[in-house]
Amino acid sequence: MPDFAEPLARLIQEVKRLPGIGQKSAQRIAFHLLRAQRDDVERLAHAMLDVKDKLGLCAICNNISDTDVCLYCSSNEREPGTICVVEEPHNILPIETTRTYFGTYHVLHGSISPLRGVGPEQLRIKSLVDRIAQGGVQEIILATNPTVEGEATAVYLSRLLKPLGVTVTRIAMGIPVGSDLEFADEVTMSKSLENRRAL
Amino acid sequence: MPDFAEPLARLIQEVKRLPGIGQKSAQRIAFHLLRAQRDDVERLAHAMLDVKDKLGLCAICNNISDTDVCLYCSSNEREPGTICVVEEPHNILPIETTRTYFGTYHVLHGSISPLRGVGPEQLRIKSLVDRIAQGGVQEIILATNPTVEGEATAVYLSRLLKPLGVTVTRIAMGIPVGSDLEFADEVTMSKSLENRRAL
């Protein structure tokens, strides 16, 4: 590597630690920041520190929030009787963009993965059981990812929660809308066949 | 757009202003920073502000530097008689990585572009002429980009500098090494033919 001035080399190193950013992108971003107005760089730097200082987890659903109880849990327009369970806070976003879900959420902050040494006790499952125990919950929608870990977590939660007298459902897996059968992998295709519905 | 907590939404907005970062990447980076250790986020934020506070331009060649004179201009191992002219500081990097160039540089900070209203007077050309006037310069290598603007700048500089008694050369344009003729665009292919060399 050719030599950059020390502050620039250090910035490139730090930017490279961000997800999806390689050496070239890091250089491009670093040179951009170097040319940018100091005010703009300051705003970015402060925004970064603010998320660390001002955000915490919702006391009810563990979603990221700048208030004690998050905007979904505190809203009058959301049905508290339906809880959609997701692995991570950012998994809420694709569900919200559908504009068709009006229940609340529960964020596990991970998925069961024996390989990575993550068991059910490391996930925020107890608080979910507590929410159900308080009554008023009709349905739990398991929206963990369609991966081995997400599936395992869904199976575990389903066995744990059904005895509590709630309906437990799992989001559908199948061919993406607008796609072509040609491009579907075998697992998705077989899931799609398995979950066929009468017309 | 669904609602994020305010500090998170603000961070996503700020990250999106970086080059090559769209909405999804910005969200991914923002959530990464949210989960990261505060120390790591602080180091990144400080590195960003440091490049603004600690770096300036080399008094000789206008390269970015944390010292008055940059590492190339102050090195005993570089030939001051050869000056490679580039548009931007980051254009030095690909030349240095070849490890075959041992002269110095001159950074124009832009290229002539009538469309964007950039004329020769906005570029750092006068200091280049001054360097040549001080004597000891044998060759000027024009390494501006192989674009319309870079070409126009090279032609302008060539006409301006040749009368000063220096050799003025232009980097070669042609088929990239390891590529296939099949993938070359017509302009590159014709440049490649035009610049053919006797074997």
Side-chain angles (χ1 to χ4, degrees), chain A residues 63-64 86-96 107 109 145, chain B residues 4 8 27-28 31-32 34-35:
Chain A
N63 182 21
I64 287 154
V86 294
E87 294 180 21
E88 298 289 348
H90 61 257
N91 296 143
I92 291 177
L93 182 64
I95 299 171
E96 283 298 303
V107 183
H109 287 274
N145 288 320
Chain B
F4 285 113
L8 190 58
Q27 281 171 22
R28 206 161 138 212
F31 277 105
H32 167 89
L34 188 61
R35 274 195 304 264

Side-chain angles (χ1 to χ4, degrees), chain B residues 89-110:
Chain B
H90 62 257
N91 296 144
I92 291 177
L93 183 65
I95 298 171
E96 283 298 301
T97 35
T98 66
R99 298 185 178 283
T100 58
Y101 179 68
F102 303 104
T104 56
Y105 292 96
H106 193 88
V107 183
L108 298 173
H109 287 275

Side-chain angles (χ1 to χ4, degrees), chain A residues 2 7 10-11 14 17 19 27 31-34 36 38 43-44 48 50-53 55 64 90 93, chain B residues 2 7 10-11 14 17 19 27 31-34 36 38 43-44 48 50-53 64 90 93:
Chain A
R10 183 154 45 88
L11 177 58
E14 292 298 332
R17 299 161 67 108
Q27 281 171 21
F31 276 104
H32 168 90
L33 291 171
L34 188 61
R38 197 179 192 288
R43 267 212 315 283
L44 173 58
M48 280 167 36
D50 276 357
V51 294
K52 296 306 295 179
D53 294 337
L55 292 183
I64 287 154
H90 61 257
L93 182 64
Chain B
R10 184 154 46 88
L11 177 58
E14 291 297 332
R17 299 160 67 109
Q27 281 171 22
F31 277 105
H32 167 89
L33 291 171
L34 188 61
R38 197 181 193 285
R43 267 212 315 283
L44 173 58
M48 280 166 35
D50 275 358
V51 295
K52 296 306 294 177
D53 294 337
I64 287 154
H90 62 257
L93 183 65

Side-chain angles (χ1 to χ4, degrees), chain B residues 33-72:
Chain B
L33 291 171
L34 188 61
R35 274 195 304 264
Q37 296 294 312
R38 197 181 193 285
D39 282 1
D40 291 338
V41 178
E42 239 169 48
R43 267 212 315 283
L44 173 58
H46 289 163
M48 280 166 35
L49 293 171
D50 275 358
V51 295
K52 296 306 294 177
D53 294 337
K54 296 190 184 160
L55 293 183
L57 298 184
C58 170
I60 299 174
C61 76
N62 308 311
N63 182 22
I64 287 154
S65 178
D66 55 350
T67 46
D68 272 0
V69 172
C70 82
L71 52 100
Y72 304 118

